[in-house]
Structure formats: C-alpha cells, structure tokens
C-alpha cells in the first residue's frame, strides 16, 4: 500500500482500491487504446488514423432503434405525448424497477432464446450495465480471497469487474485451440484441484456464452458438464449471456436456462445469468444490465445492491415500450443477425484471401483471428511485438490473445461491428497489404540468402508495396490487392 | 481432525457465511478431543520448570512448539473446510434411484436456506429486512393512503422525496418539447450519440450544466469547476465510490448523529467501512461539536481503528439544520490536524426554506487557506430538482487522485445517456431553473410552517430547521418508557393506529430516544390536517 501521507505531507492517504491497478488501465494492453485515442481514424478528416477494432460495440442496427424512437416519441417522455407520464416516472425510485420494464426484459430474453426458456420478471434485477451486473454477482457469491474458475481466453474486463472492489480471485481453466477452446471435464478438474491444493476456496465457475473473445457458442454437452460439475462440487455457475442475441449462424444457441430446465437433478440455487442490452440491442449508452438468478437469496441481495447502479426511470420507461413492441423486437433481432452474419463473412473472407484464418464462430461482434503463422516464435513476446506493429504501422487497434489470458500465443480478437462498410474495407485492405509485406519480407529474407547477388529480383515488388503502405492516400480507389494481381 | 458426522458437515456447509467461525469452533473441539494425551505431554515439561529441573526455556518452548504443531496439523487436515464434505452421491444425475436417508435432510436444508453458499456480505444483508424502514415502507405500499380511494390507508412520511414542485418540471417539458431526443433539425442528437459508449463519468456538457446549477443553488457565492465532477447513477453510488476511494475495509468514518440511515447501507455494506456515530444533542439543537469529534477520534484510535474521514450532511438529514461558516472552518481545522478527509453531503443544498443562508464546504475553502485536497462533496439532482428516478448524483472532489480513481469506478454506476441529454437541456434553461429553485423554496417554506405549527398546537415540538424535506420532532413525552423500546412502541402505534409511517430516531442512530423525522414533501396542503388529526389520535391516548 502506498501511504502518501508519510512521504508527502500534502498528499492525502487514499485507499488501496484508489491507488492500486485494479482498473487495469495501466497495463500495456491499454497502449492500443491510447494509440487510437491519439490518432482516431476518420473517413475524411483523418483517413490514416488508427481504426478501432478493439471495442465490442454493435452499431450495425442502430438505425432500427432510431427509427423506432422516432415513430414512438411518447416513449422517451420529453415529448408532448410522453409528458403526461412524467410525474410518475421522475419520482420512481423503487429498486425493483418498473414492472413493465422487467416484464419487457424477461420477454426479450425469452425471445432471444427462441422461446425455449422461461424467465420470471420477478427474478430480474437491474444493475448498471453488465459491468455492474458482474460486480454485484461477485459481491453476492464470494468473499475476498475466494475464487471463481474461468475458462481462458476470457474477457479482460472481468479482471476489473469481478475482482477490483470485491477482492475475489479468478483462476484460469486452460483451454486450447486443438479442440477449438472447448471446456473439458479434465480441464475443469485440473483447475479445481490446483485451487484446492493452494487452499483457495472455489465458489464457482464464470463462463461467457456466446464466448467473448471466441465468438462461439457452447454446445449442450459442455453446458451439461458444467452444470453437473457445479452440482457435484456444490458451487455456483455464472453464465454471462450478454451476446446471446447476436447468434447469427448454426449451431443454434443453447442457454444454460434451457439445460437446467431439462435437468431435474440440478440445484437451481447454483445458477445465475448476467445479461445486458448493450450488445444485443447495441445501446451501451443506456447502461442497462440485468442479473437473473434462480437463487432467492441472491435475487433479494442483488436487488438491494442495485441501488448502486439503478437504471434511470426514463430509460426504463423507454425500453419498456421498445421491448414490449413484439413486432419490433422480432424484426430487429432478425435484421441484426443477418447484418452481423454478412459483416463477419465479408471480414473473414477478406482475411482468407490472404491466408489468415479465424476460429469458426457463430456469434458475437468479433472474430478470434489466428496470426500464429506470422509469429517469429511461439511466445507472448513475439505476439506483443507483432501486436505493436499492427497498432503502430498497420494502424488497427486489435486485442492480443495474451490480454485475454490465452495460453497459446498468436491469437487476436478483432471487432467488426462498430464501423461502417467503408471503414471495414479500409481495415481489410490494411491487413491484406500488411500480410503481403510480411510474406514478402519472409520471401526476401529467404531470397537474400539464396540470391544475394541478384537484388534486382526483389526491387520491383518493393516499389509498388511501399507507397501503398506509407502514403496517406490509402483512400485511393486502387487497393494493393488489385495492384498485386496486375 | 476425525471426520465429522454428516449432520455436522451439513451444518458447516450451511454456515458457509461464518466459515471462519466454524473453523475456530472445530479447532476448539479438536483441542478438547485430544485433551487427554496432549495435556499429559504439556504437563511433563511444566513440571520440570516447577521442580527446577527442566529449565525455563524448555518449559516454555516445548509447550509452545507442541501447540503450534497441533494447530498446524489441524489446519492442514481441515482446509478448505466447507468443500471437504462431499454432497451425497444421490444428487448426481447418474444415480437417480438411490436416495440415502441423509440426503433428504440435505435437500430440505438447502431448500429452506437457499443454499447458504452466498457470500457473507450477502448473508448479512439478507437478515436486515425487518428494520422499521422496510416494515413501514412495505405497509405503505400495501395500503397506500389516497384522499378519495383509500382514506384509511397508511400515509408515507418516511420517504424524503419531493412532490411539491414536480408540476413545474412537467410544465417545462411540455413547453420545451423539441420533439424527440433525436430531432436533428433542432440541433438534437443522432442515435450514435445516444446509444453508444460515452464517458462513464458523465458527458462534459452535463458536468458543465450541473456545475452551473450548483452555483445557482448556492446563490452565486461559489463557482464549481466541471473538471472536478464525476457523475454517478444517484448520490448513493457517489457516496459508495468516495468511500471506496478514501478508506480500506476496517477503517472508519466519524459521522455526527443522528445521521441518514442510508449511510449504513451505502458505506458499511460493500466497502466494509465502519461508521462511528458522534452524538449530537438536543441541548445544542443537534449542532456538530468539535470536542465530541475529538473524543470519538481518540476512542477509535485507542481501539486501534484508523479513522479516515468525517462525513456529515449539510443541510443535515434528518434534523434539517444548516452548518455555520464557523463550524465548517473548525471542522476543516480538525481534519487538517488529524490528517484525514472530510465528506460533505450537500444533496439538500437547494432545498432550504428558512431565512438562513446555506454555506457550502466549497465556499469556505474559497475564502480561506485550507488544504483542499482533503475535501470532497457529494451532490445530486434527486432532491433539489425532484427527479430521483433519473439517478443523477455526483462527486465533487478537490483531490486529483480521487477524481482519477472515481472516474474509473464510475463505470459500475453511470448515468443513462438519454437521461443525461434530457437534463442538459433542462439545466441549460437558467431562467426556468432560477424560477424553479425560488418557487420550490417557497412551497417548502409553506408546507414546513403548516406542519410544524400544527404539531405545536398538539404539543409536539420540532427543532427549528431551515433545510430539507422534513421536520425533526420530539415525541418523547408520549413514550411509555424513556428508552429505545419506548420509541419503537410509539413508532408501531403511529404505524398501526394512526397509520402514519415515520422514521424513528434510533434508525438514525440518535442518542436520545423519542425523536422522529416527518417528511412533508409527499403531502399536499389538504393532507396536512389529516396527518395532524391522526397524530392527535395517538397523542391523546397518552
């Protein structure tokens, strides 16, 4: 602990939480964000800037939300039509939330899961975004020093949301590319045993389904394994399902809520779901997170804690009418899925053309990109070196696998839903020319050894490669791909 | 330790919240069990000391070492304690047919207690549902008073919520309807400015508008710098975030009492900070006294508890009095001398109704040379703008490190962006805001006078106050016994006979029994006679 008061009499003594690095923003992984903030891409104002591909934001279907809001002005209160509701709404501060809001959320959650699971509005607890939901769950389920197991790679924000103020630990369950990062019984047992051997009390397992960063969904078998494992060991299972509405391809989505409805022996007190509208509806600015627990004690405790992150009643009112509009939600989900699917296809196809593969995915706002062939050696250092080149030279902010605690170097998470088609095209073009350059460099290195005297051979290539990479006129209609082909 | 019988293991499992206690208990039993053999071994060297043969060193060392190893052995074989007893196999999906006799026990225990593997933090709050506030509020929601529909219902006087001036805000909205939030012709917003990620600690425009509003509320005596503001979803998380920044679990804040009961939840619960009430007395009109602070500080120090801040509300909740400039200066001297922080909760700053002027902590800092970095203010729009549903609170700190940390913590409780935009446009209409503050004060004054004078005629005295939505009244002469019990009995009578929900002084950690807080801002002028008549019913019984 840093005690300011003793070293600098003018400084105030602050808490450990205020002075430690639990927020994670001092880690070197933030360099990508800093690079983006310093030099953000803009189609006309700054076409050579860094393109943000590190933010899992869903902007592909915001136009639908906008149109709905325009069509239903009374929902947002600040209109003539809505003002009549104002009195009740402005003063509404019951931490249960507006009944209509909870009902609409439960309905929406059912719809997202294809009606295969039922949700009770009385179990819906509000919180400030999924961030707040995760923290509240951690506060409710574990005491400082206790641990949750979490399959790697995992969303690095959990290190902050789940741990910072709660003092709870996260212990990795190592997953590997050999079986597409699936969670196995053996990996579970190993992680559990390791924790037991170090005398750490394991209170549960935290998983994301669909997975962030993998963009895959869990199969029924894996979920069953998890459910029976937590039942056997008497611990909790927290499923973060904030991407459940983004599943755009086969296999179809299986939520833990379906699995436990099929399993009469499951102790439901152990199952908790975190949900949010930030990803599925693309409205993170609304700060709506939800805890859905099957455990009465957790529901009642989390509800009391929700005072620390209540959703504005105006926003509740707005969303209650929006999500209550079944016709709208049906068409929104369908359109959003189609667009996400199309976008992912454009992106992965573009990558495939230059020989880059992604893990097969059917959900999420990102791809799990395999750049292992581009690593000089299979180490985290090599991964970070490559990452810095991509940020500084290729000007893309993507996230390295090591920031997700991935045990294999060379994987990167690339978000594709927070930009328009043009920006996506430019990003792809940058990746393509980068890969060509890397391959050329590799070929050159080989050639240089073999044809040391015949420098002429490699010169022409460099002549047309260099200007495309280095000039600020990336916006020019001819892509490096076209040039390379001609 | 030998394997415990299954009943005991279930017990250990169920009492996961008290894991440490369980551990302590079982090591104690372990010692007792091994008492025979260990006792003999301990006694032999001690005998040596007594008889002058073994020597002092051996006589001390051997028992200590033995005891140490015994503990070590016990700990090794027990840990981790609650996970070791495996649940009956009948629970597994593979063996549905086999049901052991013990599993029945196990299942029912689980069903009733919701499987206590929740955290001890959760368990502690689950037990606190029967406080007077919850009981009263529940009654109010089950049977709410309505002059026409339910004239015998319970009247809520326990909730500090202002309904006196909501019509003004409603009118503003009706007048200034620039259609939807998305009206681009009116310079409105695009959807991506509304729905996407925005700074977690609040939009700059909102900070500027709120800083302006705060300046207006303080009648221009002080101006606020938007860069020192961190917006949060209500004052509740603002206080919690500040607490997390200023103290570690186990540290303490000094809080002049009676204080707002919500502090216990906001600060104690998750941040684990102790609140030490510093009693203020009716003889001083419940004013803050520095010697009392000093005493409480020294007592805490003697207990080995580190005091990290003084927290007070101004205008005070529940009393409603204002702190004088001199008191604030003395308080600053006190915290400077002790090297601790001071948190001023000024959420009622704009809701004053007396002739006295409100003096903000920021204003005192302006006029004098104090170390500003230890001063933090909590504010919000729930009270002064009567929009608690919108969840707008803020931290105003003079310490850059606190601002930096709080802006990161704000992500756990940030304000919805559409709501922020709605408020930006409202607050920027300074003419309306000036009128609103003035009218609201006037209405508060009328209601306060109406209620306090009415109470006086019934023989119920209140503290002379000039801020807040409530009056702080002395009903001690109607208690059967001058004690906490007497106060709660009177509170129950008020709830069940008079059908009025009040906040009893004990809930506010008031040291003198018999004081109650009555909020008058949820009433209309027509309701006041009804309230008075109902109180009279109880008062006349005594």
């Amino acid at each position: 602990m840093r005690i300011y008061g003793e070293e600098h009499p003018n400084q105030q003594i602050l808490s450990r939480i205020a002075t430690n690095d639990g927020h994670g923003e001092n880690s070197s992984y933030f360099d990508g964000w800093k690079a983006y903030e310093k030099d953000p891409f803009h189609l006309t104002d700054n076409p050579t800037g860094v393109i943000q591909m590190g933010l899992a934001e869903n902007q592909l279907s915001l136009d639908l939300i906008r149109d709905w809001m325009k069509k239903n002005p009374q929902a947002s209160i600040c209109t003539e039509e809505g003002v009549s509701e104002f009195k009740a709404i402005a003063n509404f501060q019951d931490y249960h939330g507006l009944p209509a809001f909870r009902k609409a959320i439960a309905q929406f959650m059912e719809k997202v899961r294809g009606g295969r699971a039922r949700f009770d509005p009385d179990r819906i607890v509000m919180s400030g975004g999924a961030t707040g939901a995760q923290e509240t769950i951690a506060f409710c389920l574990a005491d400082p020093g206790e641990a949750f197991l979490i399959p790697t790679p995992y969303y690095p924000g959990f290190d902050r949301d789940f741990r910072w103020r709660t003092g709870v630990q996260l212990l990795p369950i190592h997953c590997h590319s050999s079986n597409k990062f699936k969670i196995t019984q053996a990996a579970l047992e190993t992680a559990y045993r390791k924790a037991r051997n170090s005398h750490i009390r394991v209170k549960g397992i935290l998983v994301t389904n669909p997975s962030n960063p993998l963009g895959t969904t869990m199969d029924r078998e894996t979920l069953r394994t998890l459910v029976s494992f937590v039942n056997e060991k008497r611990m909790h299972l927290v499923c973060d399902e904030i991407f459940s509405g983004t599943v755009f391809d086969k296999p179809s989505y299986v939520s833990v809520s379906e699995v436990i409805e099929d399993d009469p022996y499951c102790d439901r007190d152990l199952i908790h779901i975190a949900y949010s509208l930030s990803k599925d509806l693309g409205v993170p600015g609304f700060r709506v997170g939800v805890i859905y627990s099957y455990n009465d004690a957790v529901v009642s405790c989390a509800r009391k804690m929700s005072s620390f992150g209540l959703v504005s009643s105006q926003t509740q009112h707005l969303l209650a009418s929006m999500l209550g509009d079944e016709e709208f939600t049906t068409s929104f989900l369908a359109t959003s899925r189609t667009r996400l699917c199309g976008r992912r296809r454009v992106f992965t196809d573009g990558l495939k053309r230059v020989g880059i593969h992604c893990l097969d995915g059917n959900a999420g706002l990102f791809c799990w990109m395999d750049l292992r062939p581009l690593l000089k050696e299979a180490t985290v250092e090599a991964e970070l070196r490559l990452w810095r080149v991509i940020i500084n030279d290729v000007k893309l902010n993507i996230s390295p696998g090591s920031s997700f605690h991935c045990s294999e170097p060379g994987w990167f998470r690339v978000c594709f839903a927070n930009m328009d088609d043009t920006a996506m095209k430019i990003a792809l073009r940058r990746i393509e020319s980068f890969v060509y350059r890397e391959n050329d460099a590799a070929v050159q290195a080989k050639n240089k050894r073999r044809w040391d005297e015949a420098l002429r051979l490699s010169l022409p290539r460099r002549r047309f490669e260099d200007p495309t990479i280095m000039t600020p006129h990336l916006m020019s209609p001819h892509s490096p791909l076209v040039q390379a082909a001609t | 330790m030998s394997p415990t019988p299954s009943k005991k293991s279930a017990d250990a499992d169920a009492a996961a919240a008290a894991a440490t206690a369980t551990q302590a208990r079982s090591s104690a039993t372990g010692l007792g069990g091994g008492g025979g053999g260990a006792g003999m071994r301990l006694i032999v060297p001690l005998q040596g000391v007594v008889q002058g043969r073994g020597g002092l060193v051996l006589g001390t060392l051997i028992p200590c070492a033995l005891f140490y190893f015994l503990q070590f052995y016990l700990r090794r074989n027990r840990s981790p304690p609650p996970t070791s007893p495996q649940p009956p196999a009948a629970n597994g999906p593979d063996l549905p047919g086999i049901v052991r006799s013990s599993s029945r026990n196990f299942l029912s225990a689980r069903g009733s207690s919701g499987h206590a593997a929740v955290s001890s933090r959760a368990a502690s709050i689950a037990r606190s549902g029967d406080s007077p506030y919850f009981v009263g509020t529940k009654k109010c929601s089950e049977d709410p008073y309505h002059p026409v529909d339910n004239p015998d219902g319970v009247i809520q006087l326990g909730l500090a919520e202002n309904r006196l001036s909501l019509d003004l805000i409603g009118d503003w909205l009706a007048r200034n309807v620039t259609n939807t939030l998305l009206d681009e012709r009116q310079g409105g917003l695009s959807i991506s400015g509304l729905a996407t990620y925005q700074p977690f600690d609040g939009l700059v425009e909102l900070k500027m508008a709120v800083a302006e509003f705060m300046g207006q509320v303080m009648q221009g005596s002080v101006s606020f710098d938007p860069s020192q503001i961190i917006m949060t979803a209500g004052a509740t998380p603002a206080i919690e975030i500040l607490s997390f920044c200023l103290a570690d679990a186990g540290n303490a804040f000094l809080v002049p009492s009676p204080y707002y009961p919500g502090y216990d939840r906001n600060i104690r619960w998750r941040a684990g900070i102790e609140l030490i009430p510093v009693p203020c007395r009716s003889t001083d009109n419940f004013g803050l006294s520095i010697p009392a602070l000093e005493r409480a500080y020294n007592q805490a120090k003697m207990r080995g508890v580190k005091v990290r801040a003084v927290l007070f509300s101004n205008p005070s909740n529940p009393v409603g009095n204002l702190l004088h400039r001199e008191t604030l200066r003395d308080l600053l001297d006190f915290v400077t001398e002790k090297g601790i922080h001071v948190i001023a909760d000024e959420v009622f700053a704009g809701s004053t109704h007396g002739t006295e002027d409100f003096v903000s902590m920021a204003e005192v800092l302006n006029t004098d040379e104090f170390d500003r970095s230890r001063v933090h203010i909590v504010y919000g729009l729930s009270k002064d703008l009567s929009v608690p549903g919108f969840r707008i609170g803020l931290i105003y700190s003079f310490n850059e490190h606190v601002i930096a940390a709080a802006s990161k913590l704000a992500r756990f409780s940030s304000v919805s962006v559409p709501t922020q935009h709605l408020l930006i446009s409202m607050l920027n209409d300074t003419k309306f805001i000036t009128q609103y503050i003035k009218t609201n004060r006037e209405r508060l004054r009328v209601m306060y006078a109406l209620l306090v004078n009415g109470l006086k005629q019934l023989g119920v005295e209140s503290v002379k106050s000039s801020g807040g939505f409530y009056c702080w009244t002395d009903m001690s002469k109607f208690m059967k016994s001058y004690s906490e019990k007497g106060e709660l009995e009177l509170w129950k009578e008020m709830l069940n006979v008079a059908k009025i929900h009040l906040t009893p002084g004990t809930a506010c950690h008031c040291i003198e029994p018999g004081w109650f807080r009555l909020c008058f801002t949820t009433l209309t002028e027509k309701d006041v006679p009804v309230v008075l008549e109902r109180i009279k019913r109880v008062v006349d019984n005594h």
Side-chain angles (χ1 to χ4, degrees):
Chain A
M1 184 188 149
R2 282 156 79 192
I3 301 176
Y4 281 119
E6 286 171 8
E7 292 155 27
H8 317 280
N10 292 333
Q11 284 289 3
Q12 289 300 303
I13 305 170
L14 300 187
S15 68
R16 272 177 225 126
I17 285 167
T19 48
N20 71 14
D21 279 340
H23 48 77
E25 292 180 23
N26 291 339
S27 101
S28 62
Y29 298 121
F30 252 73
D31 291 355
W33 289 78
K34 285 177 197 153
Y36 167 72
E37 270 158 28
K38 244 187 272 165
D39 181 23
F41 170 83
H42 188 277
L43 193 57
T44 46
D45 301 347
N46 189 19
T48 58
V50 176
I51 298 180
Q52 173 63 290
M53 302 187 94
L55 183 64
E57 199 169 59
N58 185 0
Q59 296 186 5
L60 299 185
S61 304
L62 279 185
D63 56 325
L64 303 182
I65 306 266
R66 182 194 61 211
D67 294 345
W68 187 89
M69 281 171 76
K70 284 194 162 166
K71 242 186 273 162
N72 300 272
Q74 77 289 350
S76 59
I77 296 181
C78 38
T79 66
E80 227 143 2
E81 298 91 327
V83 115
S84 57
E85 313 245 10
F86 175 80
K87 205 160 181 172
I89 296 301
N91 244 341
F92 184 85
Q93 52 176 339
D94 181 356
Y95 55 43
H96 289 80
L98 289 172
F101 171 70
R102 274 184 291 147
K103 192 167 156 255
I105 292 253
Q107 236 171 34
F108 186 69
M109 287 173 75
E110 285 171 6
K111 173 156 275 178
V112 158
R113 286 154 189 78
R116 292 181 299 271
R118 291 270 148 246
F119 293 98
D120 175 2
D122 289 339
R123 290 194 177 277
I124 301 248
V125 179
M126 276 186 290
S127 66
T131 302
Q134 288 296 351
E135 193 192 41
T136 304
I137 289 176
F139 268 122
C140 287
L141 299 183
D143 286 310
E146 295 177 338
F148 266 73
L149 304 179
I150 182 165
T152 64
Y154 67 84
Y155 167 58
F158 285 145
D159 286 331
R160 172 196 60 216
D161 304 345
F162 219 77
R163 290 170 45 199
W164 190 14
R165 294 202 293 191
T166 62
V168 174
Q169 306 184 56
L170 289 177
L171 304 175
I173 303 167
H174 290 289
C175 300
H176 301 279
S177 59
S178 50
N179 65 347
K180 299 190 172 173
F181 297 98
K182 259 191 206 164
I183 307 164
T184 61
Q185 176 86 24
L188 277 175
E189 295 281 359
T190 312
Y192 182 70
R193 211 175 322 115
K194 207 173 152 202
R196 286 284 303 270
N197 288 344
S198 11
H199 301 296
I200 297 170
R201 189 165 177 211
V202 179
K203 286 302 277 281
I205 303 177
L206 167 63
V207 295
T208 56
N209 178 31
S211 162
N212 180 2
L214 300 175
T216 55
T217 51
M218 255 177 218
D219 55 36
R220 202 174 286 270
E221 214 36 62
T222 311
L223 279 166
R224 280 202 188 120
T225 309
L226 284 168
V227 167
S228 67
F229 188 82
V230 296
N231 270 287
E232 184 191 320
K233 306 284 194 230
R234 308 300 311 152
M235 55 165 136
H236 298 278
L237 177 62
V238 179
C239 287
D240 181 316
E241 302 193 341
I242 63 171
F243 291 99
S244 49
T246 65
V247 180
F248 47 75
D249 209 348
K250 295 260 175 269
S252 60
Y253 182 61
V254 185
S255 160
V256 72
S257 48
E258 284 172 56
V259 171
I260 62 169
E261 273 176 28
D262 295 345
D263 181 355
Y265 299 102
C266 170
D267 178 2
R268 294 187 171 204
D269 280 349
L270 304 176
I271 311 295
H272 320 275
I273 297 173
Y275 188 58
S276 136
L277 300 178
S278 303
K279 311 296 182 186
D280 285 359
L281 213 56
V283 290
F286 287 24
R287 310 307 307 144
V288 180
V290 164
I291 297 156
Y292 190 91
S293 175
Y294 292 87
N295 184 321
D296 295 338
V298 172
V299 169
S300 114
C301 174
R303 189 154 278 156
K304 286 174 186 140
M305 275 190 197
S306 65
S307 315
F308 298 114
L310 285 181
V311 179
S312 142
S313 54
Q314 182 222 8
T315 304
Q316 288 185 45
H317 180 75
L318 172 66
L319 286 168
S321 2
M322 189 187 290
L323 299 181
D325 183 346
E326 290 251 7
E327 205 178 305
F328 167 74
T329 50
T330 310
S331 77
F332 176 87
L333 283 171
T335 315
S336 166
R337 284 170 179 154
T338 316
R339 291 182 184 176
L340 284 170
C341 189
R343 176 55 71 79
R344 184 182 160 111
R345 192 157 298 145
V346 167
F347 185 61
T348 49
D349 286 353
L351 292 178
K352 250 182 227 155
R353 280 202 296 276
V354 288
I356 296 179
H357 293 275
C358 293
L359 187 75
D360 286 339
N362 59 333
L365 311 171
F366 29 72
C367 295
W368 191 235
M369 184 168 74
D370 182 5
L371 293 187
R372 284 178 297 174
L374 294 186
L375 290 194
K376 303 272 185 301
E377 54 188 37
T379 61
V380 173
E381 291 72 35
E383 175 183 291
L384 291 181
R385 263 199 303 279
L386 177 62
W387 176 60
R388 286 189 190 282
V389 170
I390 295 175
I391 288 170
N392 299 324
D393 301 346
V394 189
K395 301 276 180 97
L396 301 175
N397 177 32
I398 63 173
S399 319
S402 51
S403 69
F404 297 88
H405 303 266
C406 185
S407 44
E408 291 172 27
W411 293 89
F412 291 80
R413 189 191 77 167
V414 193
C415 300
F416 54 71
N418 59 332
M419 60 191 75
D420 58 18
D421 290 336
T422 327
M424 172 46 75
K425 256 182 222 150
I426 295 166
L428 261 179
R429 214 181 292 157
R430 289 184 187 182
I431 296 175
E432 284 162 0
S433 51
F434 167 69
V435 173
Y436 281 129
R437 189 164 50 133
E438 284 291 295
N439 289 345
D440 275 359
V443 170
Q444 264 176 47
K446 229 192 242 164
N447 288 351
K448 198 166 181 190
R449 238 181 330 109
R450 241 183 256 170
W451 309 96
D452 217 5
E453 68 284 6
L455 274 170
R456 193 177 47 84
L457 271 178
S458 56
L459 275 173
R461 268 210 186 99
R462 289 193 61 183
R463 207 179 55 227
F464 69 73
E465 271 299 319
D466 271 347
T468 25
I469 303 301
M470 310 315 270
T471 69
H473 305 295
L474 256 178
M475 290 305 304
S476 61
H478 36 245
S479 74
L481 191 72
V482 179
Q483 287 188 353
T486 45
Chain B
M1 207 174 97
S2 58
T4 45
S6 65
K7 189 175 173 297
K8 188 153 185 223
S9 69
D11 176 29
D13 210 346
T20 43
T22 320
Q23 193 167 0
R25 184 170 10 117
S26 28
S27 29
T29 14
L31 262 178
M40 280 311 287
R41 260 173 274 149
L42 283 177
I43 288 162
V44 172
L46 287 173
Q47 244 178 351
V49 181
V50 175
Q51 294 166 1
R53 275 182 293 160
L56 188 68
V57 177
L58 220 59
T60 332
L61 268 184
I62 293 178
C64 283
L66 276 173
F67 189 68
Y68 175 79
F69 282 120
L70 184 68
Q71 282 228 319
F72 185 69
Y73 172 80
L74 286 175
R75 184 167 293 194
R76 238 192 113 94
N77 282 283
R78 282 213 78 245
S79 173
T83 36
S84 43
Q86 293 296 330
N91 202 41
D94 318 345
L95 301 161
I98 304 171
V99 181
R100 292 188 200 162
S101 54
S102 66
S103 69
R104 190 178 190 81
N105 218 339
F106 185 64
L107 279 169
S108 62
R110 225 186 327 137
S112 60
S113 68
H115 193 267
V118 294
S119 70
S120 50
R121 287 184 275 233
S124 74
I125 205 72
R127 286 192 293 270
S128 72
D130 45 0
S131 72
Y133 175 78
F134 283 110
V135 174
T137 304
K138 203 168 157 233
K139 273 211 117 146
C140 291
S141 62
E142 281 165 4
D143 182 21
Y145 170 81
H146 189 279
V148 183
D149 302 345
N150 190 15
D152 287 331
V154 182
I155 301 181
Q156 169 70 289
L157 297 179
L159 190 64
E161 172 181 283
N162 185 3
R163 294 200 191 140
L164 300 179
S165 305
L166 268 182
D167 57 323
L168 300 181
I169 305 230
D171 287 349
W172 180 87
L173 284 169
R175 269 201 320 274
N176 294 273
V177 174
T178 53
N179 220 329
T180 66
L181 283 167
L182 293 167
D183 190 4
E184 275 146 60
R185 279 166 307 155
Q186 301 276 348
L189 287 148
S190 64
I191 185 74
S192 58
L194 210 57
T196 60
Y197 281 107
Q198 302 295 331
F200 289 116
D201 59 336
L203 299 169
V204 179
E205 295 90 327
L206 180 63
K207 289 185 184 180
M208 283 163 60
V210 169
E212 187 73 19
F213 178 73
M214 288 168 76
Q216 239 178 313
V217 158
M218 321 279 177
Q219 283 143 349
S221 54
V222 58
S223 67
F224 292 87
D225 177 358
S227 70
Q228 286 171 248
I229 292 180
I230 303 294
M231 305 295 313
T232 58
T236 299
I239 289 175
E240 195 197 31
I241 288 174
L242 254 185
S243 308
F244 267 115
C245 287
L246 301 181
D248 294 316
N251 295 157
F253 288 171
L254 300 180
V255 195
S257 71
Y259 64 75
Y260 166 55
Y263 287 156
D264 287 325
R265 182 195 58 196
N266 301 351
I267 301 167
R268 274 196 168 138
W269 188 15
R270 304 203 304 188
I273 295 162
E274 190 188 335
L275 295 184
I276 301 176
V278 181
C280 303
R281 298 184 179 274
S282 54
T283 46
D284 306 331
N285 206 23
F286 292 100
L288 182 119
S289 107
I290 301 293
L293 276 178
E294 184 85 48
R295 251 194 320 276
Y297 182 85
N298 290 334
Q299 274 167 7
K301 210 171 160 188
M302 265 162 49
R303 276 197 295 137
V305 173
K306 211 181 250 171
V307 173
R308 300 295 279 268
V310 176
L311 162 69
F312 68 98
S313 54
N314 180 29
S316 137
N317 182 4
V319 180
N321 50 8
L322 309 182
L323 266 73
H324 302 294
R325 199 178 297 268
E326 293 69 40
T327 317
L328 290 173
R329 277 199 198 125
D330 292 345
L331 189 57
L332 275 172
D333 283 333
F334 174 78
V335 295
T336 312
E337 183 203 318
K338 303 296 179 202
I340 58 178
H341 296 270
V342 59
I343 305 171
D345 176 351
E346 301 188 348
V347 292
F348 287 102
S351 306
T352 52
H353 48 73
T355 45
E356 212 179 330
D357 271 345
F358 171 75
V359 182
S360 166
M361 200 56 160
E363 192 182 332
V364 177
L365 276 186
N366 249 3
T367 50
D368 289 287
E369 273 314 303
F370 286 106
D371 173 12
R372 304 164 142 247
S373 69
R374 61 183 78 249
V375 179
H376 319 277
I377 295 172
V378 171
Y379 189 62
L381 300 181
S382 302
K383 309 295 182 189
D384 285 355
L385 206 60
S386 25
V387 286
F390 287 7
R391 311 309 303 151
I392 312 273
L394 64 92
I395 296 166
Y396 188 81
S397 175
F398 291 88
N399 185 315
E400 53 176 313
H401 301 287
V402 170
I403 295 171
S407 73
K408 294 185 180 99
L409 286 169
R411 71 162 57 241
F412 294 112
S413 19
S414 40
V415 188
S416 156
V417 177
T419 306
Q420 292 194 49
H421 281 291
L422 175 60
L423 279 154
I424 289 167
S425 42
M426 189 187 293
L427 292 175
N428 281 338
D429 186 347
T430 42
K431 209 174 126 206
F432 161 72
I433 292 294
T434 315
Q435 190 58 41
Y436 171 85
I437 295 172
K438 208 176 135 216
T439 316
N440 186 40
R441 280 198 175 126
E442 180 57 25
R443 290 183 184 176
L444 285 171
R445 195 186 60 73
V446 169
M447 281 301 280
Y448 173 78
L450 210 58
L451 189 65
V452 167
N453 292 335
L455 286 170
K456 205 177 223 168
Q457 280 165 14
L458 298 179
V460 180
E461 290 294 332
S462 309
V463 167
K464 191 185 169 300
S465 68
S466 15
F469 300 161
Y470 33 73
C471 52
W472 183 242
T473 57
D474 180 6
M475 302 201 187
S476 55
K477 58 181 168 187
F478 310 115
M479 299 191 299
K480 287 198 180 71
S481 65
Y482 187 78
S483 65
E484 204 171 299
K485 196 168 156 252
E487 180 183 301
L488 280 175
E489 274 169 9
L490 183 59
W491 172 79
K492 262 184 210 151
E493 209 179 326
M494 284 286 179
L495 186 63
N496 298 325
V497 179
K499 297 222 173 169
I500 287 179
H501 176 220
L502 307 173
T503 311
T506 41
C508 306
H509 301 264
C510 185
I511 195 170
E512 298 172 20
W515 290 85
F516 289 85
R517 188 186 79 165
L518 280 75
C519 294
F520 52 78
T521 44
T522 47
L523 303 174
T524 62
E525 285 184 31
K526 280 189 203 133
D527 295 333
V528 175
V530 181
V531 169
L532 291 172
E533 190 273 321
R534 288 186 179 196
I535 292 177
K536 192 164 181 287
R537 238 188 273 166
V538 171
V539 166
D540 287 350
N541 272 345
H542 291 267

